[in-house]
Amino acid sequence: MDSSGRLILMAVHAHPDDETISMGGTLATYAAAHSSTTDTYVVTGTRGELGEIVIPEWDTPEAHERLGETRMGEIAAAMAALGVTHFENLGFRDSGMVGDAGNEDPRSYHQHSTTDIDGTTAHLVRIIRRVQPDVIATYDDFGGYGHPDHIAAARV
């Protein structure tokens, strides 16, 4: 806890939407039930720009071109709905799914965490040192289901 006695909870995820899908209930519970005693932080590694668009009529080349911007708007809305007080993005490129061309991009979270773990970790370490969370939640070593960026988040 910080000097005021507040608990600081940090969730580290790969993409915008992962926080809601995997632990949205936990974040919302802490934010609502403990708002006077808990600060909640979400950190994502990427903007999710290679994600899927699951509504067929919205799945267009133009929508994919601006998906990173769209996902950042979605996470802002999710943070407000969940009551999360702070959000930060590490700025790495989305890797896409296993076997996708995005996995080979040296800017991708997956590649960056594989080739330069110290450099990749430094981004998060700066946030952790500044925030000094009491609890950090992220994925298991398999990233939940094997997604390269989820594995990168766990590794970092």
Side-chain angles (χ1 to χ4, degrees):
M1 294 188 191
D2 68 9
S3 60
S4 69
R6 294 180 69 79
L7 174 73
I8 302 173
L9 170 66
M10 179 181 286
V12 179
H13 291 285
H15 316 100
D17 81 358
D18 294 334
E19 79 296 327
T20 302
I21 294 167
S22 66
M23 64 178 305
T26 300
L27 291 168
T29 297
Y30 272 89
H34 308 284
S35 63
S36 64
T37 59
T38 304
D39 284 330
T40 50
Y41 286 76
V42 168
V43 178
T44 61
T46 79
R47 295 176 43 187
E49 60 269 32
L50 295 181
E52 296 175 307
I53 299 175
V54 297
I55 301 171
E57 57 271 18
W58 292 3
D59 191 4
T60 66
E62 296 81 17
H64 279 277
E65 285 179 26
R66 61 180 188 277
L67 188 55
E69 294 169 40
T70 300
R71 299 288 294 281
M72 294 308 285
E74 291 171 349
I75 197 167
M79 297 299 89
L82 294 172
V84 171
T85 52
H86 307 280
F87 166 71
E88 296 196 41
N89 180 269
L90 299 179
F92 295 102
R93 183 163 173 72
D94 191 351
S95 301
M97 299 299 284
V98 172
D100 288 351
N103 275 260
E104 303 308 315
D105 189 323
R107 300 169 297 167
S108 75
Y109 199 26
H110 165 69
Q111 284 296 323
H112 210 279
S113 72
T114 302
T115 61
D116 183 14
I117 190 64
D118 291 339
T120 309
T121 303
H123 295 273
L124 183 59
V125 168
R126 282 192 291 277
I127 296 169
I128 291 170
R129 286 183 176 155
R130 185 182 77 241
V131 172
Q132 297 183 3
D134 298 291
V135 177
I136 300 175
T138 193
Y139 310 100
D140 61 15
D141 291 345
F142 189 57
Y145 66 99
H147 190 293
D149 288 334
H150 292 213
I151 293 169
R155 184 182 302 129
V156 169

